[in-house]
Amino acid sequence: MILSMKGFLGYLLIGVAMAAEPPAWIPMPREVAMNEGRFTLPKDCGVQLERPTDGPRLIAMLRESGLAPKASSTNAAIEVKRAAVKNPTGFPGAYQLDVSSSRIVITTNDDLGAIHATETLRQALDAKGSLPCGKVEDWPAFPVRGFMLDTGRNFQSVALLKEQIEVMAR
């Protein structure tokens, strides 16, 4: 079947419209599989932690979003657990994030992975406390995450630079 350029672009646009779009994450995770539907976090969502070091940043992020998280051992909306995750490079910071219609499960094997998973959640969370359903697997390509800002060839306002530094710091 031969399509004209206009027909081909229309075909592509229809295909893109039917698939669930992932949020614009920075950095983009390695593997993303979006599902239909959304999960809305309850106002007083429970957080189940396997280790206390996994929780402070996650709980602070939830509070910043207007939610009132509480420690819970059963029926928690968010579960953070330690287990082996896909990590071909072997650098610390790998995680798996699974958002279903009823709960969020963060799996990581180190503290840095819990931090990276929390930041991925922060970027996906909308103003209503809702997240798209899907599965994210991410691991670092390099031992250190970095950001280069070239102001000599890319002129930007001071306000935009401050905003970029805030995002980078997260």
Side-chain angles (χ1 to χ4, degrees), residues 10-166:
Y11 177 76
L12 284 177
L13 291 174
I14 289 170
V16 169
M18 292 190 315
E21 287 285 323
W25 284 305
I26 299 173
M28 188 65 176
R30 302 286 182 154
E31 295 179 8
V32 177
M34 302 304 294
N35 298 332
E36 292 299 319
R38 296 187 72 80
F39 173 60
T40 302
L41 285 164
K43 188 78 170 159
D44 58 343
C45 64
V47 179
Q48 181 180 350
L49 303 171
E50 207 168 282
R51 294 177 67 169
T53 57
D54 294 335
R57 191 174 187 118
L58 174 63
I59 290 172
M61 182 272 294
L62 293 170
R63 286 191 179 129
E64 286 173 12
S65 301
L67 302 171
K70 61 181 179 183
S72 174
S73 59
T74 58
N75 291 336
I78 302 174
E79 178 185 0
V80 183
K81 62 182 183 177
R82 293 290 180 117
V85 293
K86 187 175 184 178
N87 189 1
T89 60
F91 300 127
Y95 66 91
Q96 179 180 317
L97 178 63
D98 192 4
V99 180
S100 67
S101 60
S102 59
R103 70 183 303 180
I104 299 168
V105 179
I106 298 170
T107 308
T108 182
N109 56 1
D110 56 30
D111 292 340
L112 192 57
I115 291 170
H116 292 320
T118 299
E119 293 308 318
T120 300
L121 271 178
R122 177 194 308 269
Q123 292 180 40
L125 195 64
D126 67 9
K128 298 174 189 171
S130 175
L131 296 156
C133 292
K135 185 175 182 180
V136 173
E137 290 185 271
D138 194 18
W139 58 89
F142 305 101
V144 177
R145 284 193 178 187
F147 178 77
M148 183 177 146
L149 185 61
D150 184 2
T151 57
R153 289 179 282 187
N154 186 10
F155 301 108
Q156 299 170 0
S157 68
V158 172
L160 183 59
L161 290 173
K162 287 181 179 180
E163 181 182 338
Q164 287 180 341
I165 291 169
E166 283 294 319

